[in-house]
Amino acid sequence: MIDISKYKLCNVFAGRNMYMQQKTSFFKEAFSMNTFYRFLNSPKTNWLRFTTLLSKKVADIIVPLTSEKRVNAFVVDDSLSEPTSCKQTELGSRVFDHTSMKYRMGYRPMTLGWTDGNTFLPVNSCLLASSKESNLISPIGQYDGRSLAARRRKLVQTKGTEAMI
């Protein structure tokens, strides 16, 4: 899991992808493409916990390098993300945009970030949809209520203040 995570992060920052690396024979990793995609698509991977632990490790490296006069703070942002079409996406809904004071189709990504006034480090995030049945655009699929995916679906439909906590 650590090797796959490192590989994915390095590719993001280097602007590379696995497909082109395999086509040009630059892919020299100890795992296959199927293993990589199974890991990314696994419903058992707790991405919220993973990103929180990763950002903690990065913050532990950054904090000693900054001045003690800087104030550390958490920032919560829930700006609207409006995809071009979410009619077929599960839990796609009409959400209220406080900037334009109108309902829009899409999701509100809520992001928790850490900042010292100069550096911003995203700690965690989740998508928020409407909790009202009348605002849902697409149907909700059937799922086992005990799984990690079920907890994420429940989190998507909570109010922003509750999801933040």
Side-chain angles (χ1 to χ4, degrees), residues 15-40:
R16 297 179 299 192
N17 65 42
M18 179 183 269
Y19 175 77
M20 287 306 296
Q21 287 179 348
Q22 287 184 332
K23 285 287 188 191
T24 58
S25 301
F26 280 107
F27 184 75
K28 307 284 189 223
E29 303 300 322
F31 51 86
S32 70
M33 184 172 74
N34 289 336
T35 304
F36 178 73
Y37 285 113
R38 262 188 268 124
F39 169 71
L40 291 180

Side-chain angles (χ1 to χ4, degrees), residues 86-94 105-107 129-130 135-139:
C86 68
K87 291 180 182 178
Q88 298 298 319
T89 307
E90 186 176 12
L91 294 170
S93 63
R94 293 177 53 225
M105 285 194 329
Y107 301 96
S130 179
N135 285 338
L136 289 177
I137 296 169
S138 60

Side-chain angles (χ1 to χ4, degrees), residues 80 82 95-104:
L80 180 69
E82 187 176 352
V95 293
F96 189 71
D97 182 11
H98 294 280
T99 307
S100 66
M101 302 304 279
K102 295 180 182 178
Y103 277 92
R104 307 272 185 186

Side-chain angles (χ1 to χ4, degrees), residues 96-158:
F96 189 71
D97 182 11
H98 294 280
T99 307
S100 66
M101 302 304 279
K102 295 180 182 178
Y103 277 92
R104 307 272 185 186
M105 285 194 329
Y107 301 96
R108 278 188 5 233
M110 180 168 281
T111 304
L112 171 68
W114 170 84
T115 184
D116 62 359
N118 190 31
T119 306
F120 180 79
L121 183 64
V123 174
N124 221 322
S125 66
C126 68
L127 290 176
L128 297 178
S130 179
S131 58
K132 295 180 183 178
E133 283 288 324
S134 60
N135 285 338
L136 289 177
I137 296 169
S138 60
I140 303 172
Q142 296 294 324
Y143 54 88
D144 182 12
R146 301 169 294 174
S147 67
L148 180 64
R151 283 184 272 164
R152 290 299 299 263
R153 285 182 179 98
K154 186 177 178 182
L155 180 64
V156 165
Q157 290 189 289
T158 59

